[in-house]
């Protein structure tokens, strides 16, 4: 933007700072100009919205300020019939097995949890140099949990398919006795004296935590204070974010499964980039107690795994009220791997598969075309499996201004480090990085933030009408409209790998379900995955190490 085009000047920002009790440098004011000069257009969109007085906020006030009562929900671990699995001569040959098969090795005592834990720890230490996916090892905890699992199983106390399975936690989940550093320099060395509810519940299921995995700083992208987490299929590119380490570690066979979070694509995107299966649950399904807050109205926690069915097993362990997170619903999740999902109404986002204006960047355009082509092929697979697919159209509403909801909430979550200047120590300081976004968010008017949430209510009503026609719909995982709309409306999404680009990197397809319909969503995704073998293909990690050594 040229000087002559600027509507707002650094001097005007400085004057506003005085009004707001803030103090930024001249360089920081200059950096904010592009964002702030783009804001009048966003404000105009909000002000032009037809907000009848009857339209409420999308956020609900709760007069009960104390913790809610926990609720008991069913936790069932039904699994589809598994082919016989035998211990390989070299245990590392089991590294890429899904949880369903790892569980059989442990349940039948062909492999001990300790053996599996030590094998995955060795792999994490060997390949982390190339992938930069480990924020902290939890080896002492893991060894203790593995020994306890083996002792319980030997005594006939088998807790289910997660018992003894090594896993990794995105490093925004608090783990007592270990650092939880949120990927950001201002929080290096931070230890929180609590266990996140998800950590507690997986321990109760008998799972073994072997590492805290990297995330892009404060859950944005794949760049953290220690570097950039890499895609195991091509270490010249990042693994995408912000559940960067979770996606990379699962794809590389370094953990049995991992936990990630999503605010606006942070499970879907790394699952797609790294070629793993992921589940972004309905908003309000998994407690965020002990997890870093980025956007209170959008944050969600879910699994990244090597199969869709694995996601169902992990989700069954972690969902439901805990008496701490007031947003959590007691709606049950009942996974039935034998369900024939052809009885469900299945749609697809028609215009996501149509020709679009080419992207200016050739690499970006090649990626877009590969994602679209591979997702179109996925529709053909579903039709061949007997699914009757109906075209649908997502709500036709300009929601670009709703971006201010997430930025305002994120800026509030990290207001302290913005005001005290420690945000300046973060690795990324470009225009689209958090430090600049946080500072610019201080100039979002409160009225427009509230009205943006009322527009979000309209979007949620629009989406309810769409979902009255289908139970689940399909879209390329890379489709931005689908991703942002369903994150604002809180719908669940299951991601499955569906092919590769010309570069040999994975692509993915998303299955989006109705609110609290994770079981149906996963059933449709599993039907696709059962008909393909994309999830059974794995990266060449020795080549990744060699590529890293050559850099």
């Amino acid at each position: 933007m040229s000087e002559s085009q600027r509507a707002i000047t650094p001097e005007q920002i400085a004057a506003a700072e005085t009004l707001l009790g803030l103090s930024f440098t001249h360089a920081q004011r200059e950096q904010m100009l592009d964002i702030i000069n783009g804001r009048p257009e966003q404000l105009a969109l909000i002000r032009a919205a037809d907000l009848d007085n009857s339209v409420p906020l999308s956020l609900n006030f709760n007069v009960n300020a104390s913790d809610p009562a926990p609720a008991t929900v069913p936790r069932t671990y039904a699994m589809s019939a598994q082919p016989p699995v035998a211990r390989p001569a070299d245990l590392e040959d089991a590294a890429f097995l899904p949880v369903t098969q790892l569980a059989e090795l442990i349940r039948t005592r062909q492999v001990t949890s300790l053996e599996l834990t030590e094998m995955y720890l060795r792999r994490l230490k060997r390949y982390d140099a190339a992938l930069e996916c480990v924020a902290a090892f939890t080896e002492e905890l893991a060894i203790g949990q593995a020994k306890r699992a083996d002792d319980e199983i030997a005594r006939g106390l088998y807790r289910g398919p997660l018992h003894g399975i090594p896993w990794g936690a995105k490093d925004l989940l608090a783990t007592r006795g270990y650092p939880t550093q949120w990927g950001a320099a201002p929080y290096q060395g931070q230890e929180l004296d609590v266990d996140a509810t998800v950590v507690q519940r997986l321990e109760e299921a008998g799972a073994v935590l072997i590492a805290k995995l990297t995330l892009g700083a404060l859950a944005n992208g794949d760049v953290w204070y220690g570097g950039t987490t890499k895609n195991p299929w091509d270490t010249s590119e990042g693994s995408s974010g912000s559940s960067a380490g979770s996606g990379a570690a699962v794809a590389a066979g370094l953990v049995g499964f991992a936990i990630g979070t999503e605010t606006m694509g942070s499970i879907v995107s790394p699952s797609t980039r790294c070629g793993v299966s992921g589940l972004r649950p309905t908003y309000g399904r998994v407690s965020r107690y002990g997890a870093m807050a980025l956007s209170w109205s959008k944050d969600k926690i879910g699994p990244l795994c090597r199969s869709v069915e694995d996601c169902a097993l992990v989700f069954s362990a972690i969902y439901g009220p805990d008496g701490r997170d007031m947003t959590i619903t007691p709606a049950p999740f009942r996974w039935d791997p034998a369900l024939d999902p052809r009885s469900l109404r299945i749609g697809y986002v028609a215009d996501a598969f149509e020709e679009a204006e080419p992207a200016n960047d050739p690499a970006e355009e090649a990626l877009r075309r590969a994602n679209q082509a591979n997702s179109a092929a996925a529709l053909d697979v579903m039709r061949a499996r007997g699914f009757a697919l109906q075209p649908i159209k997502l709500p036709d509403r300009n929601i670009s201004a709703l971006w201010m909801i997430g930025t305002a909430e994120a800026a509030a979550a990290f207001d302290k480090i913005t005001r005290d200047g420690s945000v300046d120590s973060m690795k990324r300081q470009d225009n689209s990085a958090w430090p600049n976004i946080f500072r610019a968010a201080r100039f979002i008017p409160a009225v427009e933030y509230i009205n943006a949430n009322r527009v979000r209510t309209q979007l949620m009503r629009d989406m309810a009408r769409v979902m009255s026609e289908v139970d689940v719909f399909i879209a390329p995982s890379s489709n931005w409209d689908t991703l942002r709309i369903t994150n604002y409306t809180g719908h669940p999404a299951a991601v499955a790998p569906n092919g590769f680009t010309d570069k040999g990197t994975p692509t993915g397809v998303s299955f989006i379900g109705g609110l609290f319909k994770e079981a149906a969503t996963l059933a449709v995704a599993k039907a696709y995955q059962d008909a393909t073998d994309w999830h059974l293909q794995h990266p060449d990690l020795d080549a990744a190490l060699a590529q890293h050594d050559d850099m």
Side-chain angles (χ1 to χ4, degrees):
M1 182 179 291
S2 67
E3 291 291 337
S4 61
Q5 293 174 308
R6 287 176 173 168
I8 306 296
T9 67
E11 291 72 27
Q12 290 171 321
I13 294 176
E17 289 170 34
T18 301
L19 178 66
L20 298 172
L22 301 171
S23 179
F24 299 130
T25 68
H26 181 75
Q28 290 168 344
R29 294 176 195 124
E30 285 279 348
Q31 190 177 34
M32 280 188 273
L33 286 176
D34 280 346
I35 292 178
I36 291 181
N37 276 301
R39 190 143 301 139
E41 182 179 352
Q42 294 179 331
L43 302 185
L45 285 172
I46 296 298
R47 291 166 182 168
D50 183 15
L51 291 175
D52 183 85
N53 183 258
S54 63
V55 178
L57 272 70
S58 58
L59 308 178
N60 295 318
F61 174 68
N62 190 330
V63 295
N64 181 10
S66 61
D67 291 337
T72 301
V73 295
R75 299 196 190 281
T76 57
Y77 297 99
M79 289 197 302
S80 59
Q82 296 297 308
V85 56
R87 178 187 177 121
D90 182 350
L91 190 55
E92 282 212 29
D93 290 340
F96 288 100
L97 291 180
V99 168
T100 49
Q101 294 183 33
L102 292 174
E104 279 300 283
L105 287 174
I106 288 179
R107 186 188 66 81
T108 57
R109 304 191 199 178
Q110 297 180 67
V111 174
T112 67
S113 175
L114 183 59
E115 288 177 302
L116 207 58
T117 296
E118 291 175 337
M119 180 270 287
Y120 277 126
L121 281 168
R122 287 193 300 271
R123 288 178 62 81
L124 275 170
K125 292 174 181 178
R126 185 187 317 149
Y127 294 113
D128 182 53
L131 301 181
E132 300 181 44
C133 63
V134 178
F137 289 97
T138 55
E139 188 166 358
E140 184 178 354
L141 173 66
I143 297 300
Q145 289 180 335
K147 288 179 178 178
R148 183 170 67 245
D150 288 334
D151 176 67
E152 289 175 342
I153 293 168
R155 291 187 288 116
L157 302 175
Y158 185 61
R159 302 192 191 194
L162 301 186
H163 203 174
I165 303 295
W167 70 285
K170 184 174 180 177
D171 191 35
L172 52 61
L173 294 171
T175 307
R176 186 179 281 108
Y178 292 91
T180 302
Q181 303 173 100
W182 302 349
Y187 298 98
Q188 274 188 267
Q190 171 180 255
E191 288 197 21
L192 304 174
D193 192 28
V194 297
D195 281 327
T197 290
V198 168
V199 172
Q200 293 174 11
R201 286 187 168 163
L202 287 171
E203 182 172 15
E204 290 165 5
V208 175
L209 178 59
I210 62 173
K212 307 293 291 294
L213 301 173
T214 57
L215 67 152
L218 304 182
N220 182 16
D222 48 28
V223 177
W224 57 295
Y225 60 79
T228 301
T229 302
K230 306 300 194 302
N231 180 359
W233 295 88
D234 181 358
T235 57
S236 69
E237 66 179 30
S239 65
S240 188
S242 66
S243 302
S246 298
V250 171
L254 310 184
V255 292
F257 67 90
I259 297 294
T261 66
E262 174 152 326
T263 304
M264 189 57 76
S266 292
I267 289 175
V268 171
S269 187
S271 294
T272 301
R273 177 77 60 85
C274 297
V276 302
S277 302
L279 173 65
R280 179 193 76 206
T282 305
Y283 175 85
R285 272 300 223 175
V286 180
S287 172
R288 299 166 300 181
Y289 174 77
M292 184 201 87
L294 182 66
S295 173
W296 292 276
S297 71
K298 298 207 303 280
D299 294 345
K300 300 160 286 285
I301 299 176
L304 291 86
C305 304
R306 281 189 283 274
S307 78
V308 168
E309 188 166 3
D310 285 0
C311 290
L313 297 176
V314 176
F315 180 64
S316 193
I318 64 175
Y319 88 105
D322 63 346
R324 292 174 171 136
D325 185 337
M326 297 179 69
T327 68
I328 306 303
T329 174
F333 169 72
R334 294 185 175 92
W335 172 242
D336 179 5
L339 173 71
D340 184 353
R342 282 171 291 196
S343 62
L344 300 173
R345 300 167 301 163
I346 313 298
Y348 67 96
V349 182
D351 58 13
F353 296 89
E354 296 171 357
E355 284 297 317
E357 282 290 319
N360 293 328
D361 179 72
E364 184 181 331
E365 174 61 14
L367 179 61
R368 185 192 68 79
R369 286 187 174 277
N371 274 288
Q372 191 175 51
N374 292 343
S375 293
L379 297 185
D380 293 337
V381 169
M382 297 300 285
R383 292 186 180 105
R385 297 278 287 184
F387 287 87
L389 306 180
Q390 62 182 87
I392 66 166
K393 184 175 177 59
L394 294 178
D396 184 17
R397 186 180 293 274
N398 188 335
I399 60 169
S400 58
L402 297 193
W403 195 256
M404 73 175 67
I405 295 174
T407 56
E409 293 182 9
F414 296 102
D415 178 51
K416 180 179 183 296
I417 63 171
T418 302
R419 288 184 291 107
D420 69 19
S422 56
V423 73
D424 298 342
S425 66
M426 291 176 64
K427 187 163 184 148
R428 280 186 60 198
Q429 293 289 330
D430 55 86
N431 290 359
S432 61
W434 279 139
N436 188 47
I437 292 172
F438 291 163
R439 287 188 285 264
R442 294 306 302 249
F443 300 96
I444 295 174
V447 169
E448 268 69 33
Y449 169 77
I450 291 170
N451 280 339
N453 273 291
R454 297 174 72 206
V455 172
R456 187 177 178 184
T457 296
Q458 294 177 321
L459 178 67
M460 292 160 67
R461 290 171 175 172
D462 292 344
M463 198 65 192
R465 285 189 285 272
V466 171
M467 297 309 297
S468 69
E469 302 172 2
V470 294
D471 298 299
V472 179
F473 67 85
I474 305 170
S477 293
S478 60
N479 184 258
W480 175 236
D481 285 343
T482 303
L483 189 65
R484 65 176 182 159
I485 287 173
T486 57
N487 266 295
Y488 284 125
T489 60
H491 286 78
V495 181
N498 68 339
F500 293 90
T501 67
D502 291 341
K503 287 178 60 182
T505 54
T507 60
V509 61
S510 286
F511 301 82
I512 294 92
L515 297 172
F516 309 112
K517 291 185 177 179
E518 286 84 2
T521 306
L522 289 163
V524 177
K526 181 179 182 297
Y528 168 74
Q529 194 162 80
D530 286 347
T532 64
D533 67 354
W534 302 116
H535 64 299
L536 302 179
Q537 301 184 43
H538 312 300
D540 183 346
L541 294 181
D542 291 327
L545 267 182
Q547 186 180 14
H548 167 263
D549 292 340
D550 289 341
M551 288 180 178

